[in-house]
């Protein structure tokens, strides 16, 4: 089939595959059995779509749907004492278009997965070991706080788009697994997004919004 | 048609209508021309659905699709100096299932619509008068801050689920209109949800997450 | 990173970006924070998707979410005496995948935004000045006409897919803003689509459908 | 299980079932195997949802998914010379939530299914006998007319929301079957909705929109 | 607020709540923060919707989002040697409208979770202990079999609607957790649905479809 | 417009069109009037999306929405005695993004369309001639079998994702047309997917799942 096609054209086609393989995007509900994302290893992207470009389904293998090593404890020696390993479509390319992802969360004693939002996913979490104080806050005007202390074998649901957190209130490490209802649920850590944005938000805005002294805001903006 | 039906049954049917009229819920994409929500005037609800129950389409009138008085300036004499009038499905019952709402936002000089999230809607805003500093922050890990100063006639888009704000940086009042891509976009004011939830979030969580002294957290939790 | 890559390949990649930038398409609900459409300036397109191709999110700027000048009155010196300025994804590239758009509609005295349909969007309209007679018609078999005269500050909703219009019944100019529940709601002006299609619809069809004399149909087809 | 429940309560529950059976609504994508609509035989409805209320799945039978007699020619002795038999969720209750419907269309010689829109469905049509001129018109600004003459065994697609028609240009009867991509696709016959609405649209609007003399508009409004 | 309402009416309203609480249904994407399903404890249902009716959000508690005891091994002393504990919306009422569920799967040595389909969900599975042979088969015409042997910490994805299974090929018990992309993903065990339906499928159909002797079909239909 | 563009670049662009034309993918609900799929004639694909790439809408013609010859009986001289002609997006490129397809099914006497699943579509079938025994089985735990004998003019609905079949129980040929609620509904023939996958499923799995002797399983795996 490729006979008679000038070599330069073939080079260009290979290039197209390469260039498109630079693209990154995540797509809605599946319109075929699967649509394995093309690996996104370059930072010099050219063209994107809503979701991800896919590779030839004929070239898909079982490894596209596979990930290894989620049984290994993660390093929690950081200020918050927690570590989230999220297997989204960037980590398991076969998840593209399929609307789900999986996370492992490790907590040191008193480790915190701080208040955050998944703009595109609900989370269902099961505790494997340890004791977690968890909770979410509803939207205005009530801002009701739903909270629970979880032990091994306990399950809790954090609805899409609501602020939530998990806090290890035990004296030992804690581990949890969580399913999320999107191949790319997104993550907005409140403190980082508000006080650590790049470039920083006008400090007057934050001082007024959080009723903080401007010096405190400046201090926080340096920290995050 | 109702002949021969015992009066008590008719009373019960009327009651059903009333009881169901207590329900509150907002439904997905429309499966008929419209589905005008049943007015929700009681706080003693019994049964709900995803979205809202609807009234008999034969009883719908033009007034179900109508709202009056959006030209009147709102009172901004509050600590933040801003006032949001959101015409969602609770205010215009005909919006049920139709995926859009409209807001008027008034700002006193230096008034702030503080950092917040609409978990179920993108916002497109047009400035009618005044000068607004606006911006939104992307999700982790980059937390990029996209910002702009807007004048009369300027339009800006705040993508669904991202933290954003509007700040009147002019010396006069400011007014803006905004469309939102849901009949019930929701609103989560970050500071209120985090520091003013009911009941309060464990202060240890907030102190660790925001790297604040516990005294500051306690102070903030009293304020909000 | 690009070291060692032959220049010709780089040219081809740039070309790919350019070629893809020719594409035009609008995508469903967002699967990332945003997906800014690639500008569509050429008429020699090659490849398209459902929605629009996007640019590298790293290259997105605040200007992608911005539009200026919606406060300027539009020229209404045309036969219908109206002028619609629709800010859809073609005008604000950042609207891609976000499901909303914004319009300004200017009316001369007795100006008419004639009966039309948005096949992909509900419209919520607010009158800034003037007096508008507005209405929509429901589908078969009832074809009920919901109508209202609107004044400054009045709001009205036109459900997706239904025939509707706005008519300036005042003696002064009128101006309205409208939100639409799609980044590409589409517009089908009934009279133009029926009598002004290209090529024209068989006149026998229109004569029979509208119970008009063939001469009248021919006359109308010349006009539109 | 019902022991000890006062009879009046049981009556009320039966009444609830009856009252709810009066409801009419069509729901989005299925969240269970099926959700057979409750038959809607009364005109005294009380409560509705987006889509339709469903009956107890345990009470569903094969007849809920069944319809008989689509092989019988329909009467086409009417001014347009056509007759559409649409099997939507009102006719086959089991179609509720399932996103598809089926139609049989009969045409007398020179019979016309006049220009119309399905606001909630694409149509795919197959001709069983006869010769049909069919076509659809795209939205503004191009209003391109896509047209074809179809013979027995020919298939044509009419995209959702676009104006389209079928016209029997043969000297014999014609018959077609059509699938539509919604359990309640809706139908807006352009001429009827525009000139035959109830109450009528202001004639000035129609005269200006269609560039017709007011007398012609009045004449048409009487006819439809 | 309830003053002056006859007691009988209040009884009826309470009854309405009870009657509606008998309903069972699962709804699409959320249109409010959450929509906790009403518990479904009766078999005498009257009215249903697509998804589930919800309770008053004011009455929701943390327990609606909670489940306990997923750390306890399940009994696998059955012919297949496996046991699936699925936490769908029937088990965690708060999952209603949120599009996700969680399962624990226990395997005896050589235990099998036999070929099955989730018609409404993709599955992502992580092995906690043991060794599982897993796989899925694509649709026609290729029917490609994607397979892998999984050990503790390994993750695998089974795309929505495809036939898949897990088989314990180790000599010890195995345990896995799985997220599924629906609050009610559904489960069709192929052998049971084909050979064990109620009433049975005509044996001629199965003999012809599976190229089995009618005696074998009869034998299988008795077994399942 | 192309003046001054080096020829090599033009070649590359043409190549891009060609390479992209190799892509195969099916997209969700339409975001423009239509999005005609690019024809997929090569087996050397490079880049894909969820759904299909589209061609320039300016180049679309009526033929993109057209198919001919569905009135011709199909060959049923095969072991099952049936033949399905599915007009999905691969056959009618204009169906892309439009959510519907059409099938003709021919049956020899005692011909069988064996138990199968459409993972992405509900089917509505109308019998043109002959006598069909049809049925579907619900999901676990009930596996209820809904069945009916259909004659000419009878219509039946097979809900999305459920196992179903059609069996000609008459002594003459039978013909049916069917609409399916997706442009790419997919087809999983149970017997083929289970016993005829490539490579074969481990026979121990099938022997245990279907309670068959391993010899029978081996025999079946050779047959399919």
């Amino acid at each position: 089939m490729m006979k008679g096609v000038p070599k330069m054209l073939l080079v260009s086609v290979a290039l197209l595959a390469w260039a498109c393989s630079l693209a990154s995007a995540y797509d809605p509900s599946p319109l075929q059995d699967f649509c394995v994302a093309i690996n996104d290893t370059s930072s010099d992207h050219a063209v994107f779509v809503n979701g991800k470009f896919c590779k030839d389904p004929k070239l898909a293998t079982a490894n596209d749907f596979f990930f290894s090593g989620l049984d290994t404890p993660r390093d929690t020696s950081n200020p918050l004492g927690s570590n989230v390993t999220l297997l989204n479509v960037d980590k398991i390319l076969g998840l593209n278009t399929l609307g789900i992802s999986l996370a492992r969360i490790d907590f040191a004693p008193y480790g915190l997965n701080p208040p955050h939002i998944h703009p595109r996913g609900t989370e269902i979490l099961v505790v494997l070991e340890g004791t977690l104080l968890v909770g979410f806050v509803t939207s205005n005007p009530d801002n009701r706080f739903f909270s629970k202390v979880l032990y091994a074998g306990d399950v809790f649901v954090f609805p899409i788009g609501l602020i939530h957190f998990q806090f290890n209130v035990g004296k030992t490490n804690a581990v949890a697994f969580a399913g999320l209802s999107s191949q790319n649920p997104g993550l907005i850590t409140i403190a980082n997004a508000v006080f650590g944005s790049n470039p920083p938000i006008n400090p007057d805005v934050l001082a007024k919004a959080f009723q903080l002294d401007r010096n405190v805001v400046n201090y926080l903006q340096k920290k995050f």
Side-chain angles (χ1 to χ4, degrees), chain A residues 28 100 178:
Chain A
I100 199 162

Side-chain angles (χ1 to χ4, degrees), chain A residues 19-197:
Chain A
C20 285
S21 77
L22 308 182
S24 121
Y26 322 82
D27 252 337
S29 62
L31 292 158
Q32 52 289 309
D33 285 356
F34 50 70
C35 197
V36 176
I38 288 176
N39 203 353
D40 185 350
T41 54
S42 164
S43 59
D44 306 292
H45 301 185
V47 190
F48 294 70
V49 291
N50 189 23
K52 294 242 186 208
F53 282 107
C54 316
K55 72 181 195 183
D56 184 345
K58 293 201 186 66
L59 305 180
T61 71
N63 283 332
D64 291 321
F65 301 90
F66 174 72
F67 185 92
S68 184
L70 211 60
D71 55 338
T72 317
R74 263 60 183 173
D75 180 14
T76 56
S77 57
N78 55 55
L80 287 167
S82 74
N83 192 331
V84 179
T85 306
L86 173 60
L87 304 185
N88 65 8
V89 65
D90 293 324
K91 299 287 165 47
I92 303 184
L93 300 171
L95 283 175
N96 195 32
T97 78
L98 295 179
I100 199 162
S101 52
L102 185 73
R104 174 195 170 103
I105 318 175
D106 290 83
F107 303 84
Y110 306 105
L112 173 68
N113 188 9
H116 62 282
I117 279 178
H118 303 295
R120 292 179 297 277
T122 287
E123 178 176 346
I124 184 167
L125 175 141
V126 55
V127 178
L128 267 71
E129 53 181 74
T131 308
L132 294 178
L133 168 70
V134 306
F136 65 83
V137 180
T138 67
S139 61
N140 297 1
D142 292 340
N143 296 135
R144 294 177 63 202
F145 178 47
F146 287 72
S147 180
K148 196 93 186 170
V149 176
L150 306 181
Y151 305 92
D154 285 358
V155 174
F156 204 77
V157 177
F158 306 96
I160 183 172
L162 301 189
I163 297 176
H164 63 285
F165 67 88
Q166 298 108 21
F167 185 37
N168 183 359
V169 292
K171 294 174 185 170
T172 60
N173 287 337
V175 182
F177 280 171
L180 294 113
S181 64
S182 167
Q183 70 267 24
N184 184 31
L187 171 60
I188 301 175
T189 303
I190 300 298
N192 295 57
V194 169
F195 294 105
S197 73

Side-chain angles (χ1 to χ4, degrees), chain A residues 194-216:
Chain A
V194 169
F195 294 105
S197 73
N198 178 15
I201 294 177
N202 182 330
D204 290 340
V205 167
L206 299 181
K208 192 161 196 171
F210 287 86
Q211 303 193 23
L212 290 168
D213 192 90
R214 266 206 57 159
N215 290 334
V216 178

